[in-house]
Amino acid sequence: MQEQSVIFFDIDGTLLNSKKELPISTKESIFKLKELGHVVAIATGRAPFMFEDLRKELDIHTYVSYNGQYVVLNGEVIYTNPLNINTLEKLTEEALQNDHPVVFMDHEDMKANVPHHPYIKESIETLKISHFPTHDPHYYKGRELYQSLLFCPVGEEIQYEQKYDDFDFVRWHPVSVDILPKGGSKAKGIERIAKRLGVSPERIYAFGDGLNDVEMLSTVQNSVAMGNGEELVKEAAKFVTKSVEEDGIRHGLEMVGLL
């Protein structure tokens, strides 16, 4: 029997294809990993409420969400890293003047600071989730937020990057950018879980395809980039598998010897 490993999977473009569907080969591979005694986990930029159905379908209870800011092990929250609310308030005031809406996100919900905006609709709809942000401009007050979304065209986030040192900005859509606590990443969330489980670095694996996966794939010893991933992502990974549309998860797991 193989020694137990922990395998982290990104969601969009990794577990799910471009239509936000879970390939049959991927689902079968996940359950095969579990049968072999491995720990299967998710590492995503999504909020916990954005992939609850997927966790149920795959029977997964360990995950790194919000790009490392909200970490859960076997259903228990083991680490949180909230945004600096004072700084976020200042950024939001400036963004409002620039017609750049902001969505505030905690572990349970997300609220927009404007009632409607085409950028919010355009980007959130690509996730194909049932949850859509409703309007509450004061949602940030009196609660911990683990990520926010800034909606602006490519290049216009630079003005915020230069001014707000408490945050990292990671683009995930042509009109939307993740706002994260400075230095927060999937890699750090994975580190928390590995430490709790007492798993050695050589038994940790990670699969991803997006720019928010670069640090994870360059840090984790056994890293696999999806064939549909961006070039920077492939350069960061130790292995490159086929695309998610070509049974890339199963192929990658076979490539690294887990299946």
Side-chain angles (χ1 to χ4, degrees):
M1 184 177 174
Q2 292 184 13
E3 186 181 346
Q4 185 183 66
S5 296
V6 186
I7 307 100
F8 293 87
F9 295 97
D10 169 55
I11 294 178
D12 300 287
T14 301
L15 286 178
L16 301 183
N17 62 24
S18 58
K19 296 178 182 178
K20 305 303 179 186
E21 298 167 338
L22 180 70
I24 293 171
S25 65
T26 297
K27 186 172 182 177
E28 290 174 347
S29 297
I30 297 297
F31 281 98
K32 183 63 177 175
L33 287 173
K34 293 178 166 208
E35 285 175 25
L36 293 169
H38 300 305
V39 176
V40 179
I42 285 172
T44 180
R46 288 191 183 208
F49 55 81
M50 288 183 178
F51 61 103
E52 192 172 355
D53 289 346
L54 182 64
R55 296 201 308 273
K56 286 179 181 176
E57 184 175 358
L58 296 176
D59 193 28
I60 291 175
H61 308 283
T62 295
Y63 57 89
V64 173
S65 62
Y66 281 135
N67 288 311
Q69 317 321 310
Y70 193 85
V71 180
V72 172
L73 174 60
N74 296 324
E76 177 194 351
V77 180
I78 63 166
Y79 176 72
T80 61
N81 184 32
L83 293 163
N84 183 310
I85 294 299
N86 292 333
T87 306
L88 182 64
E89 186 172 25
K90 292 173 186 173
L91 182 149
T92 302
E93 289 170 0
E94 179 177 344
L96 202 56
Q97 294 172 359
N98 296 329
D99 191 30
H100 293 159
V102 174
V103 164
F104 308 115
M105 309 175 80
D106 64 6
H107 61 295
E108 294 177 326
D109 207 351
M110 57 180 172
K111 301 287 184 179
N113 69 331
V114 296
H116 307 284
H117 198 285
Y119 288 170
I120 298 178
K121 186 174 187 293
E122 179 186 339
S123 55
I124 298 294
E125 280 185 350
T126 65
L127 296 173
K128 296 189 178 179
I129 56 175
S130 57
H131 212 99
F132 196 83
T134 51
H135 181 222
D136 183 352
H138 304 297
Y139 193 69
Y140 65 89
K141 294 184 177 180
R143 69 180 75 238
E144 288 192 338
L145 302 180
Y146 306 106
Q147 183 170 296
S148 286
L149 302 177
L150 171 68
F151 297 85
C152 63
V154 174
E156 293 186 21
E157 71 273 22
I158 293 172
Q159 60 189 297
Y160 304 101
E161 290 174 347
Q162 293 173 340
K163 192 177 293 186
Y164 298 99
D165 295 338
D166 287 341
F167 302 144
D168 283 332
F169 298 83
V170 182
R171 184 163 290 278
W172 66 275
H173 185 276
V175 296
S176 188
V177 174
D178 290 336
I179 303 174
L180 300 166
K182 191 74 174 179
S185 71
K186 292 183 182 183
K188 288 188 170 60
I190 287 173
E191 193 178 296
R192 300 270 173 175
I193 289 174
K195 190 173 181 180
R196 280 289 189 103
L197 291 174
V199 180
S200 58
E202 60 270 18
R203 303 312 307 168
I204 300 172
Y205 295 76
F207 286 69
D209 73 298
L211 293 178
N212 64 336
D213 295 318
V214 169
E215 186 173 346
M216 171 178 78
L217 296 180
S218 59
T219 304
V220 170
Q221 194 160 316
N222 304 292
S223 56
V224 185
M226 303 301 291
N228 48 279
E230 300 190 39
E231 284 309 308
L232 274 174
V233 182
K234 292 176 182 177
E235 289 169 11
K238 187 174 182 181
F239 304 96
V240 178
T241 183
K242 295 179 181 179
S243 76
V244 61
E245 315 284 351
E246 301 173 298
D247 301 321
I249 292 296
R250 182 173 66 193
H251 179 77
L253 290 167
E254 290 171 348
M255 185 191 304
V256 298
L258 286 172
L259 289 183

